[in-house]
Each structure stands twice: as structure tokens, then as C-alpha cells.
Amino acid sequence: RNYFNRPSAKVTEDPEESMEREQILEDMKKMKKLAVDYLHPELPVTVTDPYACGRNYFNRPSAEVTEDPEESMEREQILEDMKKMKKLAVDYLHPELPVTVTDPYACGRNYFNLPSAEVTED
């Protein structure tokens, strides 16, 4: 008779297997924490080391301005292009808004509402 494989026998586990399972679970917790940190950069960083500190040398008040004139002009050009694109998007999405014309020679005539226009039935 085999007392270890019977249905009523207690489940026994090898100590090496239990240590390996604990190690795997600990690694999975670490990987989950890394995945959460990667997917949610807006969450604050928690530091447990009291000697860990950092200093931002780029945003301090005494930092030198690192932008050259070409970058400044390019940024202004990009912002101007973005304003034009926003105006075009608003004009496209809202056809009910009135059209403003700046050209004095631009004119239009509605031939459908003239008194002499032919009457059409819908």
C-alpha cells in the first residue's frame, strides 16, 4: 500500500520547490512594479534611501538660457502654423459660422434666391 499517493494523503511539497515558488512570486511582484512604473510615469517616485537626492541643474533660477535664436524663430513659426491649422479645423468643423472676407474684391451672388430665379420643387 502507498500512503503518499492515496487521495486522502496530505499534499507535501519539496522545500526546494517552495523556495523556488517564493522566488518566482517575488520576481513577479518586482516585474509588476516595473510595469506599473513604466505605464504610469505620472505617479510619484518613492525613494527609501535617505541618502538619495537629486538636483535639477536645468530649471534652477541661475541656469543659463540654452535656447539659441534659430530655435526661438522656429518655435514661433511652429506656433503660427498651429494657429492657422486650428482656424482651418474650426472652419471645417463648424460650417454654420459666418465667413469673414478680408479681400475687397471678393464678392459673391446667390443665384438661388433671386426673384428672377426659376422655382424648383424639392
Side-chain angles (χ1 to χ4, degrees):
R1 209 169 179 186
N2 188 347
Y3 292 99
F4 299 105
N5 293 336
R6 69 183 194 277
S8 63
K10 293 182 180 178
V11 178
T12 59
E13 186 177 89
D14 189 18
E16 291 178 5
E17 288 179 2
S18 67
M19 288 178 57
E20 186 174 350
R21 184 183 331 107
E22 289 176 11
Q23 183 65 36
I24 290 172
L25 290 174
E26 185 178 326
D27 290 342
M28 288 176 58
K29 286 179 185 177
K30 289 179 183 177
M31 288 173 43
K32 180 180 178 183
K33 184 182 180 317
L34 286 174
V36 168
D37 291 344
Y38 181 78
L39 289 175
H40 299 285
E42 70 276 2
L43 295 177
V45 177
T46 57
V47 180
T48 57
D49 186 10
Y51 296 106
C53 62
R55 186 170 179 189
N56 190 349
Y57 291 97
F58 302 104
N59 293 337
R60 69 181 195 274
S62 62
E64 295 179 12
V65 178
T66 59
E67 185 177 286
D68 58 356
E70 289 180 6
E71 289 179 358
S72 173
M73 291 174 56
E74 185 177 357
R75 183 180 351 95
E76 289 178 13
Q77 181 65 35
I78 290 171
L79 290 174
E80 185 179 326
D81 291 344
M82 292 297 292
K83 287 179 186 176
K84 290 179 183 177
M85 289 171 62
K86 180 181 178 184
K87 183 181 179 322
L88 285 173
V90 168
D91 291 345
Y92 181 77
L93 289 175
H94 299 285
E96 70 275 2
L97 295 176
V99 177
T100 57
V101 180
T102 58
D103 187 11
Y105 297 107
C107 62
R109 202 165 171 189
N110 189 348
Y111 291 99
F112 299 105
N113 293 336
L114 291 174
S116 62
E118 295 179 13
V119 178
T120 58
E121 294 181 19
D122 293 334

